[in-house]
Amino acid sequence: MLIRVEELEDVFIQRLEEAVKIPSISAYAERRGDVFKMSEWTASKMRELGIEVTLKPLGKQEGTDLDLPPLVLGRYGRDAEKPTVLVYCHYDVQPATLEDGWKHDPWALTIEDNGRLCGRGTSDDKGPLIGWLNMIEAFQKAGLDVPANLVFCFEGMEENGSFGLRKALEEEATGFFADVDVVCIADVVWVSDEQLSIPQGLRGILFYLVTITGANQDAHSGGFGGQISEPMTDMVNIMSSLVDSSGKILVPGIYDTVQPVTKEEYESYNKLNISEDSLLGGTGGKSLHETQVDALIARWKKPALSLHRIENARPGAGAVTSIPAKLVGKFSIRTVPNMKAKDINLLVQKHIEERFASLGSKNELEINCAHESDWFYESADHWNYQAAIQATRNVWGVNPAITCEGGSIPIALDFKEILEKNVLLLPVGRPTDGAHSINALRLFRAAADWGSTDVEKLDKSNYINAIKLFGSYLRGANNLWRENKKV
Amino acid sequence: MLIRVEELEDVFIQRLEEAVKIPSISAYAERRGDVFKMSEWTASKMRELGIEVTLKPLGKQEGTDLDLPPLVLGRYGRDAEKPTVLVYCHYDVQPATLEDGWKHDPWALTIEDNGRLCGRGTSDDKGPLIGWLNMIEAFQKAGLDVPANLVFCFEGMEENGSFGLRKALEEEATGFFADVDVVCIADVVWVSDEQLSIPQGLRGILFYLVTITGANQDAHSGGFGGQISEPMTDMVNIMSSLVDSSGKILVPGIYDTVQPVTKEEYESYNKLNISEDSLLGGTGGKSLHETQVDALIARWKKPALSLHRIENARPGAGAVTSIPAKLVGKFSIRTVPNMKAKDINLLVQKHIEERFASLGSKNELEINCAHESDWFYESADHWNYQAAIQATRNVWGVNPAITCEGGSIPIALDFKEILEKNVLLLPVGRPTDGAHSINALRLFRAAADWGSTDVEKLDKSNYINAIKLFGSYLRGANNLWRENKKV
């Protein structure tokens, strides 16, 4: 099969070129037509390979008159002697324009001399998506059977809140997805360019809005400073009571259910080959930790509380010396096993209410947990993970590290909770791919989007190896599933 | 003279109408031509009345290619037997558009049935400026001599930082203004609609920028929360160390030089007739004080520290869950007698530096006092004030209260420091005139701009009485100056 893959390279690259040309930006209403066009393109490419395709409509985007792009569902093979793997990717992309500082036209695949395939979506997530189709073609051209039944679930709203996905998963759990054995999400990257990895965990997130209201309108600080109650004073006091400068969360009880780091984890993280720059994601940030292993533990195995911003909630406000009448403070907490979002929420609300009461303030307080998503964690002992570990070793010649991600990918948890199957996050690209470059919207989406590149790219080696990686993964899955079945 | 004033009403109102028509907005570069047009209009009206006029050019606006509008300097009378009063007003205005929610076209004088003269600049400050010209005309038509020599200083950049004024005052202190006895600034309003007043004091201001830098670019809170040092944590900690929810400033030593409130001041403020709504300026804010007198003391006689905002200093930042890399916190301190700006600045810098050091933070701190202006205070015993008190009583039939303003008017202090003469702030309009309505820029300008009206207006009674007020003031000044000279 290896020979076949190299021979088909031109076909594969042309396929990616076609996909990159369609600016399927889910965040912009005026590009929604292109997201639909991309769903049609994807469906037609799948059909050409003999995949049965169903476009599942998802209705309107909540609060708008916009149609959501369909889930592109596919099925390839129905052999009872093979495991059935649900493959998730997304065919929408982040916004991009030349004016943002892109080196090349983001909507034309540009191949640089060093083998970088540049263009929006090459790494996130059109490259990996097409990788699955390329793999099927490679098997077909080699006259070989794909070693697993495949159920495809390709989404068109991933970069814009995954609207409609959860409901669709619930609807299809006992329908289209009824016979799925495991899930493989190909929408993550290695922990660093130097260190191949497979993540087994993601942190959860609780996102808070704290509103403090003092007056109906902003007041002049000359006229009213010292005379009226100022919401900003309460806001900074409450915010400063949540976390200290060493990163320690000050909400009582919040660490009580945090799972201790095992000796094995400590030793494994200690051995990882991650450069200082990769560790800080090129942000130039100052590490709170002396060693790599402590930094990784803080990112992967400990909760964190970040204060994001304090916004003036009165429209038209802007006077430099005004006393803001109403403020919204935003912060979030990243959670890890075995913290329970609901319990943590109670601790946070209690702490803020008590702190506010202690101030004797005349203002009004409102706390709102606007988003709540639990952490995700899978045992790497499962055959789904073992197959991925073997495949990575086969293709790249090194053992991948079993890591976590500090961010939150709510859809991973959705698949796990709704389908009740093991969910694998299988990296294709590298963290420096610039998946969300440049100046992208980064709502609740996490992933390794800290690349500060002037393009989005996927190395040709990663693109071509994805085909081998997927094939090898399915072969391993087939073997391990069968062994597992015998036992 | 009283009869003459009423007879000339139509002429006076027509004069205001012409002035309102010129949108002399100093804040907008594209309106600079109209500011110049307004200076020409003002000069021509002055010349018609026999005032000698000089337009003093002020050069370019710093950091721009824009010409500053001239100071319109005027002289009326050179009688050694009369006092010489420098009259300051400004002929530029705040921005205004119908789209902002104005009830009438802001650039057309609209007279409502209740006698409100509506239009941008009617109260701030074209109405008072024209009041001086109307007064001269009234004296002329009555065949009477104006009781004082007048030196006019009409500015065109008051609403946009008074660029160039201070330098011009320094240049003319021993020139055009050499023989000035006292200064009268007609650019303030009563303390409330119910309570006529003359302010004798203004608070000073120290405006601070606190910059905390952690990284080169914003980071994803999923990827880096708990791993890198977050500037926002330090920022809210420092800000919360400056002031508490009762309005008490927490910077050690800051109250040490504050002049105690005298028994006379307490009793005088206690007697003032100010409605609850006026006291809070219609903001709906919650008072920190039980009684009116305590609220007024807090506004006029005590320092105050207001936290204005925390801004993300990296361009293009905006991710909801990001860790801001660099922040600028803005706060200001209003000062009162006998606090010295330079000493207070040292206390504040020391406090912030010590607090930051105690955090053990890995971020970088920078403190910048961007604006520093001392308080202003005049004794009401001076004949300049006594003349104004008498005039107010003569025209309105009630004794004005001697009050202060919580805000800061740097030009008042400039006149006082540079000319070394007594400076009077003589109110013409009311606080509900909406001088800076709606959504106006309110930089370091204070005054009573908390009106939340849907127009700017000047009551006809205030416009017409201004003429009598100015005339009566000059007559009183003449008498008291002569008495004073004899002694």
Side-chain angles (χ1 to χ4, degrees):
Chain A
M1 180 179 161
L2 287 186
I3 295 159
R4 279 289 173 199
V5 168
E6 313 303 337
E7 280 172 11
L8 289 167
E9 201 176 282
D10 287 351
V11 176
F12 295 157
I13 285 176
Q14 198 193 328
R15 193 172 276 148
L16 184 58
E17 194 169 12
E18 285 180 31
V20 167
K21 262 188 198 149
I22 305 170
S24 51
I25 305 168
S26 50
Y28 295 166
E30 67 271 24
R31 284 274 161 262
R32 190 57 56 90
D34 288 308
V35 186
F36 274 87
K37 192 174 160 192
M38 188 65 204
S39 71
E40 293 295 343
W41 182 91
T42 305
S44 77
K45 293 294 152 185
M46 291 165 77
R47 288 192 186 107
E48 282 173 18
L49 293 166
I51 301 169
E52 301 162 37
V53 179
T54 307
L55 297 186
K56 182 179 171 69
L58 300 181
K60 297 280 182 193
Q61 186 172 335
E62 209 183 307
T64 73
D65 206 36
L66 284 171
D67 287 313
L68 288 169
L71 275 191
V72 179
L73 300 177
R75 177 165 280 274
Y76 189 75
R78 293 176 188 271
D79 187 341
E81 296 304 305
K82 293 177 186 172
T84 301
V85 177
L86 189 160
V87 166
Y88 169 91
C89 289
H90 63 90
Y91 59 83
D92 63 319
V93 293
Q94 284 277 327
T97 66
L98 265 181
E99 292 71 40
D100 288 342
W102 276 65
K103 194 172 161 191
H104 314 293
D105 178 358
W107 312 113
L109 188 74
T110 306
I111 308 175
E112 292 186 342
D113 290 344
N114 52 13
R116 302 200 317 170
L117 309 175
C118 303
R120 178 53 94 210
T122 47
S123 177
D124 183 22
D125 192 33
K126 289 176 175 176
L129 185 154
I130 295 169
W132 290 101
L133 308 187
N134 294 345
M135 178 211 64
I136 291 174
E137 188 176 18
F139 270 98
Q140 290 174 348
K141 290 277 160 70
L144 295 170
D145 222 25
V146 173
N149 303 313
L150 294 172
V151 170
F152 294 103
C153 176
F154 294 152
E155 186 194 3
M157 285 296 285
E158 198 275 342
E159 302 291 6
N160 188 14
S162 286
F163 293 114
L165 180 67
R166 202 184 155 89
K167 184 162 164 279
L169 294 187
E170 283 164 354
E171 286 168 7
E172 300 298 344
T174 54
F176 203 87
F177 302 146
D179 60 340
V180 163
D181 292 306
V182 289
V183 177
C184 175
I185 296 179
D187 186 25
V188 287
V189 292
W190 301 337
V191 66
S192 84
D193 276 29
E194 316 84 27
Q195 178 66 62
L196 276 76
S197 62
I198 294 174
Q200 65 178 161
L202 302 165
R203 291 198 285 192
I205 185 169
L206 288 129
F207 187 83
Y208 285 94
L209 306 177
V210 174
T211 306
I212 301 180
T213 310
N216 303 324
Q217 61 184 64
D218 290 3
H220 192 286
S221 64
F224 298 100
Q227 196 199 331
I228 63 170
S229 182
E230 304 194 11
M232 189 71 166
T233 311
D234 300 342
M235 183 63 82
V236 295
N237 192 300
I238 285 174
M239 282 200 151
S240 70
S241 78
L242 295 170
V243 60
D244 72 15
S245 295
S246 73
K248 189 185 164 199
I249 307 177
L250 304 175
V251 176
I254 205 158
Y255 290 102
D256 290 358
T257 52
V258 174
Q259 214 175 46
V261 179
T262 65
K263 194 161 166 264
E264 291 71 30
E265 284 167 333
Y266 187 92
E267 282 169 5
S268 149
Y269 299 165
N270 199 25
K271 277 187 293 191
L272 295 187
N273 175 28
I274 303 180
S275 71
E276 173 85 13
D277 199 45
S278 288
L279 199 62
L280 295 171
T283 62
K286 315 277 189 304
S287 180
L288 293 168
H289 310 278
E290 295 291 323
T291 61
Q292 167 185 295
V293 59
D294 286 340
L296 293 175
I297 286 170
R299 187 199 286 184
W300 295 342
K301 306 295 285 183
K302 300 283 183 198
L305 191 154
S306 292
L307 306 172
H308 304 303
R309 52 175 64 203
I310 298 171
E311 288 166 0
N312 194 330
R314 293 288 179 214
V320 177
T321 57
S322 68
I323 298 171
K326 183 176 184 172
L327 296 162
V328 180
K330 299 184 175 178
F331 71 92
S332 66
I333 300 174
R334 302 283 169 167
T335 60
V336 295
N338 290 316
M339 299 167 85
K340 288 202 169 59
K342 287 197 193 323
D343 297 343
I344 298 302
N345 188 21
L346 289 177
L347 291 177
V348 171
Q349 303 241 5
K350 180 168 179 283
H351 170 75
I352 293 178
E353 278 160 12
E354 286 178 0
R355 180 77 177 198
F356 184 72
S358 78
L359 300 179
S361 170
K362 293 177 188 289
N363 299 319
E364 279 156 35
L365 170 75
E366 197 188 318
I367 314 168
N368 175 21
C369 183
H371 183 86
E372 180 189 304
S373 174
D374 262 312
W375 44 268
F376 165 93
Y377 193 83
E378 290 283 17
S379 164
D381 294 337
H382 193 281
W383 59 263
N384 194 25
Y385 274 77
Q386 288 300 318
I389 292 166
Q390 283 176 16
T392 306
R393 186 167 53 229
N394 289 344
V395 173
W396 291 99
V398 291
N399 267 319
I402 302 305
T403 60
C404 294
E405 291 216 7
S408 314
I409 307 182
I411 59 163
L413 194 63
D414 288 344
F415 276 107
K416 186 173 162 69
E417 286 178 347
I418 297 167
L419 304 189
E420 297 178 330
K421 302 294 173 188
N422 184 280
V423 175
L424 166 71
L425 300 161
L426 184 57
V428 168
R430 305 173 188 232
T432 52
D433 284 352
H436 284 197
S437 71
I438 296 166
N439 290 346
L441 283 166
R442 297 173 187 174
L443 290 167
F444 298 113
R445 182 68 174 76
D449 56 353
W450 50 75
S452 174
T453 62
D454 51 2
V455 291
E456 177 179 340
K457 61 87 178 168
L458 182 66
D459 288 272
K460 198 164 86 178
S461 60
N462 287 64
Y463 183 57
I464 298 303
N465 275 351
I467 300 160
K468 303 175 189 173
L469 180 74
F470 294 158
S472 181
Y473 158 65
L474 295 184
R475 188 164 289 147
N478 183 310
N479 290 337
L480 293 166
W481 172 77
R482 290 157 77 97
E483 276 176 31
N484 200 58
K485 238 183 149 182
K486 280 182 206 148
V487 180
Chain B
M1 181 179 160
L2 286 185
I3 295 158
R4 279 287 172 200
V5 169
E6 312 304 337
E7 280 173 11
L8 290 166
E9 202 177 281
D10 288 350
V11 176
F12 296 157
I13 285 175
Q14 197 192 329
R15 193 171 275 148
L16 184 58
E17 194 167 13
E18 284 180 32
V20 168
K21 262 187 196 149
I22 305 170
S24 52
I25 305 168
S26 51
Y28 297 165
E30 68 270 24
R31 284 273 160 264
R32 190 57 57 89
D34 288 308
V35 186
F36 274 88
K37 191 173 160 192
M38 188 64 204
S39 70
E40 294 294 344
W41 182 91
T42 304
S44 77
K45 294 295 152 186
M46 291 165 77
R47 289 191 184 108
E48 284 172 17
L49 292 167
I51 301 169
E52 300 162 38
V53 179
T54 307
L55 297 186
K56 182 181 171 68
L58 300 180
K60 297 280 183 192
Q61 186 172 336
E62 209 183 307
T64 74
D65 206 36
L66 284 172
D67 287 313
L68 288 169
L71 274 192
V72 180
L73 301 178
R75 177 166 281 274
Y76 189 76
R78 293 176 189 272
D79 186 341
E81 297 303 304
K82 294 177 186 171
T84 301
V85 176
L86 189 159
V87 166
Y88 169 91
C89 288
H90 63 90
Y91 59 83
D92 62 319
V93 293
Q94 284 277 328
T97 65
L98 265 180
E99 293 70 42
D100 287 342
W102 276 65
K103 193 172 163 190
H104 315 294
D105 178 359
W107 312 112
L109 188 74
T110 306
I111 307 175
E112 292 186 343
D113 290 344
N114 52 13
R116 304 200 316 169
L117 309 175
C118 303
R120 179 52 95 209
T122 48
S123 177
D124 182 22
D125 191 32
K126 289 176 175 176
L129 184 154
I130 296 168
W132 289 101
L133 310 187
N134 294 344
M135 177 210 64
I136 291 175
E137 188 175 19
F139 270 98
Q140 289 173 346
K141 291 276 160 71
L144 295 170
D145 221 27
V146 173
N149 304 313
L150 293 172
V151 170
F152 293 102
C153 176
F154 292 153
E155 187 195 3
M157 285 295 286
E158 198 277 342
E159 302 290 7
N160 188 14
S162 285
F163 294 114
L165 180 67
R166 200 183 157 90
K167 184 161 163 281
L169 293 188
E170 284 164 353
E171 286 167 6
E172 300 298 344
T174 55
F176 203 87
F177 303 145
D179 61 339
V180 163
D181 292 305
V182 290
V183 177
C184 174
I185 296 179
D187 187 23
V188 287
V189 293
W190 301 337
V191 66
S192 83
D193 277 29
E194 315 84 27
Q195 178 66 60
L196 277 75
S197 63
I198 295 175
Q200 65 176 160
L202 302 165
R203 292 198 285 192
I205 184 169
L206 289 127
F207 187 83
Y208 285 94
L209 306 177
V210 174
T211 305
I212 301 180
T213 310
N216 302 326
Q217 60 184 64
D218 290 3
H220 192 286
S221 64
F224 297 99
Q227 197 199 331
I228 62 170
S229 182
E230 305 195 11
M232 190 71 167
T233 311
D234 300 342
M235 183 63 81
V236 294
N237 192 300
I238 285 174
M239 281 200 152
S240 70
S241 78
L242 296 170
V243 61
D244 73 16
S245 296
S246 74
K248 190 184 164 200
I249 307 177
L250 304 175
V251 176
I254 204 157
Y255 290 102
D256 290 357
T257 52
V258 174
Q259 212 173 47
V261 179
T262 65
K263 193 160 167 264
E264 290 71 31
E265 285 167 334
Y266 187 92
E267 281 168 6
S268 150
Y269 300 166
N270 198 25
K271 276 188 293 193
L272 296 186
N273 175 28
I274 303 179
S275 72
E276 174 83 12
D277 199 46
S278 289
L279 200 61
L280 296 171
T283 62
K286 317 274 189 303
S287 180
L288 292 168
H289 309 278
E290 295 291 323
T291 61
Q292 167 185 295
V293 60
D294 286 339
L296 293 175
I297 287 170
R299 186 198 287 184
W300 295 342
K301 305 295 286 183
K302 301 282 182 198
L305 191 155
S306 292
L307 306 172
H308 304 304
R309 52 175 65 202
I310 298 171
E311 289 167 359
N312 194 331
R314 292 288 179 214
V320 177
T321 56
S322 68
I323 299 171
K326 183 176 185 173
L327 295 164
V328 180
K330 298 184 175 178
F331 72 91
S332 65
I333 300 174
R334 301 284 168 167
T335 60
V336 294
N338 290 314
M339 299 167 85
K340 287 202 171 57
K342 286 195 194 325
D343 297 343
I344 299 300
N345 188 21
L346 289 177
L347 292 176
V348 170
Q349 302 240 6
K350 181 168 179 282
H351 170 75
I352 292 177
E353 278 160 12
E354 286 177 0
R355 180 77 178 199
F356 184 71
S358 78
L359 299 178
S361 170
K362 293 176 188 288
N363 299 319
E364 279 158 35
L365 169 76
E366 196 189 318
I367 314 168
N368 175 21
C369 182
H371 184 86
E372 178 188 306
S373 175
D374 262 311
W375 45 267
F376 166 93
Y377 193 82
E378 290 283 16
S379 164
D381 294 336
H382 192 281
W383 59 262
N384 195 24
Y385 274 75
Q386 289 299 318
I389 292 166
Q390 284 175 15
T392 305
R393 186 168 54 229
N394 289 345
V395 174
W396 292 99
V398 291
N399 266 320
I402 302 305
T403 60
C404 294
E405 290 217 7
S408 314
I409 307 183
I411 58 161
L413 193 63
D414 287 344
F415 276 106
K416 186 174 162 68
E417 287 178 346
I418 298 168
L419 303 189
E420 297 178 330
K421 302 293 173 189
N422 184 280
V423 175
L424 166 72
L425 300 160
L426 184 57
V428 168
R430 306 174 187 232
T432 52
D433 284 353
H436 284 196
S437 70
I438 296 163
N439 290 347
L441 284 166
R442 296 174 188 173
L443 290 166
F444 300 112
R445 181 67 175 77
D449 55 354
W450 49 77
S452 173
T453 62
D454 51 2
V455 290
E456 176 179 340
K457 60 87 178 168
L458 181 66
D459 287 272
K460 198 164 85 178
S461 59
N462 288 63
Y463 183 56
I464 298 301
N465 276 351
I467 300 160
K468 304 175 189 173
L469 180 73
F470 294 158
S472 180
Y473 158 65
L474 296 183
R475 190 165 288 146
N478 184 307
N479 291 337
L480 293 166
W481 172 78
R482 291 156 76 99
E483 276 175 33
N484 200 57
K485 238 181 149 185
K486 280 181 210 151
V487 183

